[in-house]
Amino acid sequence: MGRSYLALIAATSIMAACSGTTVVVRDDPDTQDDPKVESQERRNEKPGPSTAATLGVPPGHLPPPGRCRVWIPGDPPGHQAPSGSCSQLASQVPPSGWLIYRPSKSRKEVKVSVYDTKKPGVIVVIRFYDSKSGDLLREERPPTDR
């Protein structure tokens, strides 16, 4: 192996460790089209429950009770859009974004609608978090349109 190849592997490993993403480098032609290897890679790509175990939004950045806020995971809290009317903000959530809602009646919970990574306007899961600790309480599938 040459130095440039080793440097590439080292750089890829560092980036993967920092991003929490699994990176697979295939240099074995015998496994290029192996469905077992590919299905294992797909399993590694799916986020496990630990990625949603805590909300990760500072308490001071949660919307006030009865309001919503569009949140872009990975963007710094100071770069997030302000809170507002849930009905107006629901149409402004980009793919991979969240719509955070603080119910007026249940101030102990925060409802987070997680939007699809590729399909605009499609909610893939609804998560409920404890508003003080940020711990995940439960997940629900959104209702399907019939």
Side-chain angles (χ1 to χ4, degrees):
M1 284 189 214
R3 282 187 180 193
S4 61
Y5 182 73
L6 291 175
L8 173 66
I9 289 186
T12 304
S13 298
I14 290 168
M15 289 187 314
C18 292
S19 69
T21 303
T22 302
V23 176
V24 177
V25 177
R26 285 196 203 157
D27 59 353
D28 182 0
D30 294 336
T31 63
Q32 287 289 345
D33 297 317
D34 187 343
K36 290 179 188 171
V37 171
E38 189 167 327
S39 67
Q40 177 63 36
E41 288 172 15
R42 265 192 242 130
R43 262 186 303 220
N44 289 341
E45 289 173 6
K46 291 181 183 175
S50 63
T51 60
T54 58
L55 180 57
V57 176
H61 291 273
L62 293 173
R67 306 284 281 174
C68 283
R69 184 171 196 179
V70 173
W71 191 267
I72 310 301
D75 284 3
H79 292 199
Q80 302 288 345
S83 61
S85 162
C86 296
S87 60
Q88 290 177 341
L89 294 179
S91 64
Q92 299 176 19
V93 182
S96 299
W98 297 352
L99 184 64
I100 301 175
Y101 171 61
R102 289 274 305 272
S104 315
K105 294 179 181 177
S106 177
R107 295 179 183 214
K108 294 181 180 183
E109 286 188 355
V110 176
K111 177 183 173 183
V112 177
S113 298
V114 179
Y115 284 69
D116 191 271
T117 59
K118 295 179 182 163
K119 299 175 190 170
V122 176
I123 299 170
V124 292
V125 67
I126 300 169
R127 295 182 179 137
F128 294 85
Y129 295 88
D130 181 273
S131 62
K132 289 187 181 183
S133 68
D135 291 340
L136 179 64
L137 301 172
R138 68 186 182 282
E139 286 188 346
E140 295 177 0
R141 293 289 164 201
T144 55
D145 294 335
R146 293 178 190 216

